[in-house]
Amino acid sequence: PVRGGRAGPRGVLFLVASIVAKYDPHLAAFKQRLQTAGKEKMVIRIALARKLLVILNAKARDARNEFANA
């Protein structure tokens, strides 16, 4: 099982990451690469969630910078 962090946001992130992978071409390609490499389902889910979290943090950073300079 996955441990660490906050269980609530982590669970939501896992769910959202699997849904986003269906619609975002970059995450879909990433998921396909992991599946082709023979990674386990949970490893793929964790990798997608982490990548999505990095993307969301970058968007939040950019939004903060944009509004700070406004």
Side-chain angles (χ1 to χ4, degrees):
V2 177
R3 285 172 283 218
R6 294 174 289 193
R10 186 178 63 234
V12 171
L13 194 60
F14 280 173
L15 270 173
V16 171
S18 62
I19 293 168
V20 169
K22 293 179 184 176
Y23 298 101
D24 182 76
H26 298 292
L27 283 178
F30 179 63
K31 181 179 180 180
Q32 185 61 45
R33 282 196 310 271
L34 292 174
Q35 287 173 335
T36 303
K39 300 296 181 185
E40 294 180 21
K41 188 175 182 179
M42 193 61 169
V43 170
I44 295 171
R45 182 178 282 174
I46 293 167
L48 285 172
R50 177 168 164 68
K51 188 171 275 290
L52 181 61
L53 185 61
V54 169
I55 292 168
L56 292 174
N57 280 333
K59 286 182 182 281
R61 178 201 63 217
D62 295 344
R64 278 193 306 271
N65 290 339
E66 181 179 335
F67 290 116
N69 296 330

